[in-house]
Amino acid sequence: MSKQGVQNGKETATDKPKKHWSLGLLKSMKDPKSIYKETKKVVVIKDKYPKAKVHYLVLPRDEISSIYKLNKDHVDLLEEFGKIFEEIQTDHSNLMLCSGFHAVPSMQRLHMHIISKDMISSCLKTKIHWNSFTTKFFLPYRDVFKKLKEDGYIDKISPEAHKKFMSTPLKCNQCDFEPKNMPQLKQHLLTHCDE
Ligand code: AMP
Ligand code: ZN
């Protein structure tokens, strides 16, 4: 127990075991301020560090840790993810949205990203952030859904592929421009905004 943990014989907040950061989505799923939409099967939360003008995460209520735990019994659940995407696209009809999963997620509980193509956000800082949405590290929803329906499982990517995707040179996701660095890319993205 920490020194500051006891005041007048009572335990204080510092005694609470700190939850690992990778469990943060589970906390946000219960926070009304972060919930955008919910159904019997899924909860849609706002991404806490959005990497674009619109960025949501779709999570199942069931304890499924990642896409690699999905099987044919989850086809209906994934179908619902697709319906949620269509609804959210309608909610934001002025923006082009994409939906998909990171091949190697950092956070626990299966989550599908719904993110707008502009990628304009102060939280988008690094090449890793960029490449995680713009290379094959981002597994499009439709591909994951098709594979699950056909084979009943999702293949993991190799560590070599992971490394390759993350070190891919920067390239705009809306034209052929190849920026030298992140500041140049972020400035360039603004030019697509008025299109
Ligand atoms: P990934 O696990 O790489 O697919 O992405 C996890 C996503 O969760 C990232 O886009 C983060 O910005 C987002 N994130 C991290 N912590 C939280 C949180 N506590 N609540 C909501 N979103 C979060
Ligand atoms: Zn461009």
Side-chain angles (χ1 to χ4, degrees):
M1 188 179 289
S2 65
K3 210 173 173 186
Q4 311 97 303
V6 178
Q7 279 178 4
N8 307 326
K10 287 183 190 158
E11 287 187 11
T12 61
T14 50
D15 291 314
K16 281 191 190 159
K18 213 159 157 34
K19 291 239 168 84
H20 194 262
W21 58 264
S22 68
L23 297 167
L25 302 186
L26 302 180
K27 200 171 164 212
S28 294
M29 277 175 85
K30 293 184 195 130
D31 176 3
K33 288 200 290 297
S34 76
I35 296 173
Y36 176 68
K37 239 179 224 269
E38 45 190 330
T39 68
K40 248 161 93 178
K41 284 188 197 163
V42 311
V43 181
V44 182
I45 60 172
K46 294 175 230 162
D47 195 291
K48 197 169 175 182
Y49 310 100
K51 307 301 185 296
K53 286 182 183 171
V54 164
H55 191 179
Y56 298 109
L57 301 171
V58 185
L59 302 104
R61 289 191 193 275
D62 285 348
E63 286 180 23
I64 303 168
S65 58
S66 76
I67 47 170
Y68 305 111
K69 295 281 190 259
L70 294 172
N71 60 49
K72 283 215 164 135
D73 294 341
H74 299 115
V75 168
D76 286 355
L77 173 70
L78 264 259
E79 192 156 23
E80 179 150 341
F81 276 33
K83 286 192 190 129
I84 294 272
F85 171 73
E86 297 299 335
E87 280 174 30
I88 294 182
Q89 177 64 82
T90 306
D91 295 347
H92 300 281
S93 54
N94 57 326
L95 293 170
M96 162 109 77
L97 306 185
C98 310
S99 55
F101 304 83
H102 281 159
V104 184
S106 54
M107 302 295 282
Q108 290 190 38
R109 181 63 60 94
L110 167 67
H111 52 280
M112 180 176 84
H113 293 264
I114 294 184
I115 183 163
S116 55
K117 215 169 177 182
D118 54 87
M119 305 285 284
I120 290 173
S121 165
S122 56
C123 295
L124 181 92
K125 293 188 170 122
T126 65
K127 184 174 174 177
I128 299 244
H129 288 158
W130 180 257
N131 283 345
S132 73
F133 289 101
T134 58
T135 66
K136 287 183 180 164
F137 184 80
F138 190 71
L139 308 172
Y141 162 76
R142 62 177 180 281
D143 294 353
V144 170
F145 185 47
K146 184 168 179 273
K147 171 84 177 148
L148 192 70
K149 269 199 303 191
E150 287 175 5
D151 298 334
Y153 67 91
I154 307 300
D155 293 307
K156 285 196 177 173
I157 63 163
S158 66
E160 293 74 30
H162 185 178
K163 206 168 151 195
K164 191 182 109 197
F165 296 145
M166 288 305 134
S167 57
T168 303
L170 294 174
K171 184 172 181 305
C172 177
N173 63 338
Q174 293 158 77
C175 75
D176 290 333
F177 182 59
E178 294 179 0
K180 287 197 185 76
N181 50 40
M182 284 302 290
Q184 204 180 69
L185 170 62
K186 286 170 73 79
Q187 204 169 24
H188 170 79
L189 290 173
L190 296 171
T191 66
H192 287 295
C193 251
D194 320 314
E195 288 170 356

